Amino acid sequence: MKVLVTGGLGFIGSHTVVELQNEGFEVVIIDNLSNSSEDVLNGITAITGKTPLFEKLDLREKTAVQDFFKKHNDVTGVIHFAASKAVGESVEQPLLYYENNISSLIYLLQELQQKPEASFIFSSSCTVYGQAEKMPITEDAPVQLAMSPYGNTKQIGEEIITDTAKVTNISAILLRYFNPVGAHESVQIGELPLGVPQNLVPFITQTGVGLRQELSVFGNDYPTPDGTAVRDYIHVVDLAKAHVIALQRLLNKKNLAKVETFNLGTGKGSSVLEVIHSFEKVSGKKLPYKMMPRREGDITEAYANTDKANNVLGWKAELSLDKAMASAWEWEQKVRNK
Ligand code: WQD
């Protein structure tokens, strides 16, 4: 049984392909290489000894998607990562985000609904909660008005999947990630942000290797213990493993509903300063940073209630923030040949 991983050469996608191949799945990747490189295939092969099938394809091209499913007609499991995901960019270019993130999802579901049965794992985000009222955040926390077109595409995506699963033979699991960080321990794959990183951890590691002068800490006047914002930083390998478990749950028909939702986090909140201190500890380097005003659209805090993922999905994050920072730092130094 072949599993399709869209965006499988990306950060979370590539780590998930490794875990799928470790579990003996045959994988075919679709990626348009807009935010990834074909070299990532070498990293996956180096780790697992197996090269996944790869089709360079843009999911916005409906006929290309139809042709793919004619060629790979044994695909009934899909893990869908492919999407544009820069919050700031989505505010400047909303139509690019709505076209890319929504039409690609629709074309995939149109193919899957023709099959006798299909399993669909969707890459969603804790961003759908906005600033949740109560910490830690449970899956029944209200979905709030999206703070960006990016966040809106995740909310709309969840609704499209839910409505479609009701009237087709598609079963789905929506995985709401908190903040994915780190890299595979082999240092063969990791995060490869294009241009100036928007996210905290790649900006820290690029500062560590001297690519950036200093880190701007966006706000130290939040109502948190040290004044900096709090997030739930989850190791990308833990996150990848959750995807395999979720797919197996659907394939083995263990799901309790046509659509299930799980928060994927560690259950622990870490402030920006705590992340900086973790980096300094694991790297032995002092990180230059300066306090700056808050970033538009940022929330104060978000960390997951992991009970449902632990007790129903049967998955628990095992890797610490220090391990994540150490692996991110190893990867950054390798990428910069330091
Ligand atoms: C984390 C914290 C920043 C950069 C976003 C998306 C979310 C998901 C993860 C895709 C915040 C602070 C950051 C910097 C800083 N993406 N920060 N200086 O915003 O929590 O989540 O990425 O699914 O959907 O919304 O992650 O890493 O950008 O920021 O002080 O140079 O670090 O203000 O408090 P965020 P982030």
Side-chain angles (χ1 to χ4, degrees), residues 15 19 181 183-185 235-242 315 319:
H15 286 81
E19 299 307 327
V181 292
H184 194 271
E185 62 185 357
H235 197 298
V236 66
V237 173
D238 278 329
L239 191 60
K241 289 180 176 171
W315 165 89
L319 299 167

Side-chain angles (χ1 to χ4, degrees), residues 87 125 150 179 198-200 216-218 229 231 233 295 298:
V87 173
S125 171
Y150 160 75
N179 287 53
Q198 298 305 304
N199 293 133
L200 177 66
S216 298
V217 175
F218 298 139
R231 297 289 186 274
Y233 296 95
R295 179 171 66 177
D298 274 351

Side-chain angles (χ1 to χ4, degrees), residues 127-139:
T127 206
V128 303
Y129 299 116
Q131 175 56 73
E133 288 296 303
K134 213 162 70 61
M135 292 300 137
I137 303 174
T138 56
E139 286 80 357

Side-chain angles (χ1 to χ4, degrees), residues 28-86:
V28 53
I29 292 172
I30 285 178
D31 204 300
N32 69 359
L33 302 181
S34 63
N35 190 24
S36 57
S37 146
E38 205 165 335
D39 296 347
V40 172
L41 282 173
N42 304 330
I44 293 169
T45 307
I47 297 168
T48 64
K50 200 165 174 314
T51 304
L53 297 171
F54 167 58
E55 306 262 7
K56 184 175 182 297
L57 175 54
D58 194 316
L59 291 168
R60 285 170 293 194
E61 289 160 31
K62 184 169 183 171
T63 46
V65 176
Q66 292 169 329
D67 294 345
F68 172 90
F69 278 93
K70 286 194 191 93
K71 179 177 173 185
H72 298 278
N73 57 15
D74 52 345
V75 166
T76 56
V78 178
I79 304 183
H80 181 42
F81 292 104
S84 303
K85 58 152 212 163

Side-chain angles (χ1 to χ4, degrees), residues 12 84-87 123-128 148 150-151 154 177-181 196-204 214-219 222 228-233 270-272 275-276 290 292-295 297-300 302:
I12 307 168
S84 303
K85 58 152 212 163
V87 173
S123 162
S124 189
S125 171
C126 63
T127 206
V128 303
S148 69
Y150 160 75
K154 290 302 178 186
Y177 313 155
F178 281 69
N179 287 53
V181 292
V196 179
Q198 298 305 304
N199 293 133
L200 177 66
V201 171
F203 202 105
I204 286 178
E214 63 180 358
L215 170 76
S216 298
V217 175
F218 298 139
Y222 284 103
T228 63
V230 170
R231 297 289 186 274
D232 185 333
Y233 296 95
S270 300
S271 74
V272 175
V275 176
I276 291 171
K290 62 178 185 293
M292 298 295 283
R294 297 184 183 189
R295 179 171 66 177
D298 274 351
I299 57 171
T300 299

